[in-house]
Amino acid sequence: MQHPVRITVRGFERSDALEAAVVQRSGKLDQFFPQLIGCETTIELEEHSKQHGNHYVVKLVLKIPGNDIVVDHQRDEDAYVALRDAFDAAERRLKAVAERNRGSDRAKRRSGADTMDSADSVDS
């Protein structure tokens, strides 16, 4: 990743263990998408009624060339579960973008090869 991970915590005390989990999971994203520029992680404690309990909400903004990928609405009573779910979703989204990029690169190479073949046949 070209820029450091930015972590924002709202509604509860920041913990070293939670921060380490974010850094570790964000580092793994580089394996799936080496062009990843940055990762902004927001972890927020939402307060609800006694019936529903409190939930941690995790939002990720992944900076990639051309646009950003936003993963939000990942919530759970356990901050680590919400974090895991958010990074799992981010991993799936990055893999999909990488696959689309590979497909468009192949198409460009094929069209470039077709253009060169037709140019060679004109010279003959």
Side-chain angles (χ1 to χ4, degrees), residues 40-55:
E40 297 175 6
T41 306
T42 303
I43 308 166
E44 184 173 358
L45 180 61
E46 276 188 345
E47 294 185 23
H48 288 283
S49 67
K50 291 179 184 178
Q51 292 175 341
H52 297 288
N54 295 334
H55 286 96

Side-chain angles (χ1 to χ4, degrees), residues 63-80:
K63 306 285 186 178
I64 63 172
N67 60 3
D68 295 344
I69 295 175
V70 178
V71 176
D72 57 359
H73 303 297
Q74 304 301 323
R75 65 186 71 226
D76 198 274
E77 292 178 359
D78 184 339
Y80 292 95

Side-chain angles (χ1 to χ4, degrees), residues 102-112:
R102 274 194 292 277
S104 67
D105 288 346
R106 287 184 197 132
K108 286 178 188 174
R109 276 183 284 185
R110 268 191 244 123
S111 67

